Amino acid sequence: MKGTLTELNAYPLKSGGGTALRSAELTARGLPFDREFMLVDPGGRFLSQREFARMALLSPSYDGEVLTVGAPNAAPLVHKAADDGEVLDVRIQRKDCQGIDQGDEAATWFAEFLGAECRLVRFTGRRETSRGGGEVMFADGYPLLVISQESLDDLNTRLDEPLPMNRFRPSLVVEGLGPYGEDDVRLLRVGEAVIEMVKPCNRCLITTTDQETGERGREPLRTLATYRTAERGILFGYNAVPRSLGTLTVGDEVEVVEAR
């Protein structure tokens, strides 16, 4: 079975908006700079749209040196990434890792936006995935999330109002696998790279947050629960780990190397 890569998205700031890419070099830790930055509370626990839905309104971009973050009714944050700050112990989904504190100016900017005390940290060290032997920065668990366009199309036929793909925050969107075809793939060749589909993605409250307005509703979880529920939760999309690296470009051919 063959298809086409239709979207590439990186998320420089965990739980901030995505950056659409036309082409990128796939690394062992996913797309370049993906979840390299994160906000943490005073205890080092990660902050996300689960608690602060308005984080969806943050529009980050990062070129490897300067992180720029836009937000409604605020002057943009223009921050030169620091690698010499204090190394903080931080926690994501009950797992420990480390981040480099990015200083008071950035912390104040985000605290004023969220109305809550926080620090901005940059990933350092090494963090392994729970399964599949991969590496990841500050993503919840895996470096890549793959979704079939036909999966969203099928879901939208069941909703009163269709939703855009950004509700699900994928890394790669593929056309041609068919509805929920990502569930049936083990190895997928995308352009020059091969990725392994390791674990179904268990969906959370973030999918109910409008990524343009920050407003929260009941969909799509209410509808997904009627037909996409398994023991591990409500599933939509598949977490993946790179097995061979290379350039990914929107429009690349996608081929199923090995089915389940």
Side-chain angles (χ1 to χ4, degrees):
M1 182 182 294
K2 294 184 178 181
T4 305
L5 179 66
T6 59
E7 286 186 31
L8 278 174
N9 301 294
Y11 304 85
L13 173 67
K14 184 177 180 66
S15 254
T19 299
L21 307 173
R22 292 296 302 172
S23 186
E25 290 296 318
L26 183 65
T27 75
R29 300 191 296 192
L31 297 177
F33 317 130
D34 189 68
R35 277 86 169 190
E36 186 164 335
F37 295 87
M38 179 174 72
L39 296 176
V40 297
D41 68 15
R45 189 184 69 84
F46 81 106
L47 301 182
S48 78
Q49 290 184 37
R50 296 172 181 86
E51 300 87 12
F52 296 95
R54 70 192 317 257
M55 286 182 70
L57 305 180
L58 296 170
S59 301
S61 62
Y62 182 53
D63 62 5
E65 295 185 0
V66 176
L67 174 69
T68 303
V69 186
N73 305 314
L77 171 71
V78 181
H79 171 73
K80 189 176 189 308
D83 58 11
D84 58 354
E86 181 182 1
V87 176
L88 303 180
D89 293 323
V90 297
R91 195 163 179 80
I92 305 171
Q93 302 289 14
R94 301 182 294 281
K95 293 188 176 181
D96 297 324
C97 55
Q98 293 184 315
I100 301 169
D101 187 89
Q102 296 297 292
D104 291 342
E105 182 179 353
T108 297
W109 191 91
F110 283 107
E112 289 178 352
F113 176 76
L114 293 181
E117 188 177 354
C118 62
R119 305 294 296 184
L120 177 69
V121 296
R122 182 185 183 191
F123 183 81
T124 188
R126 178 182 172 88
R127 184 169 166 243
E128 296 186 358
T129 57
S130 299
R131 292 165 53 180
E135 297 180 47
V136 68
M137 288 199 278
F138 286 140
D140 278 359
Y142 294 88
L144 298 172
L145 173 63
V146 181
I147 298 179
S148 165
Q149 178 62 50
E150 291 90 349
S151 299
L152 178 64
D153 294 343
D154 179 80
L155 169 62
N156 278 335
T157 67
R158 305 166 189 262
L159 298 173
D160 292 335
E161 296 184 11
L163 298 176
M165 185 64 83
N166 66 9
R167 285 291 187 99
F168 301 96
R169 302 172 61 80
S171 312
L172 282 66
V173 179
V174 174
E175 284 187 357
L177 296 182
Y180 317 105
E182 59 269 48
D183 297 350
D184 301 323
V185 176
R186 194 179 82 79
L187 290 177
L188 194 66
R189 186 184 307 279
V190 185
E192 299 176 352
V194 174
I195 63 176
E196 181 176 356
M197 312 289 262
V198 175
K199 179 180 178 295
C201 186
N202 187 342
R203 306 317 307 220
C204 72
L205 191 64
I206 291 177
T207 61
T208 67
T209 304
D210 188 318
Q211 297 295 296
E212 307 301 326
T213 67
E215 296 177 356
R216 186 164 282 163
R218 299 182 64 184
E219 295 292 8
L221 289 184
R222 180 173 62 176
T223 295
L224 284 171
T226 65
Y227 74 107
R228 291 290 297 175
T229 299
E231 288 184 8
R232 59 178 62 92
I234 298 171
L235 308 179
F236 192 86
Y238 230 91
N239 294 300
V241 171
R243 293 305 182 211
S244 69
L245 309 181
T247 303
L248 304 181
T249 302
V250 171
D252 276 347
E253 182 178 88
V254 174
E255 179 184 2
V256 176
V257 176
E258 184 177 331
R260 292 190 185 281

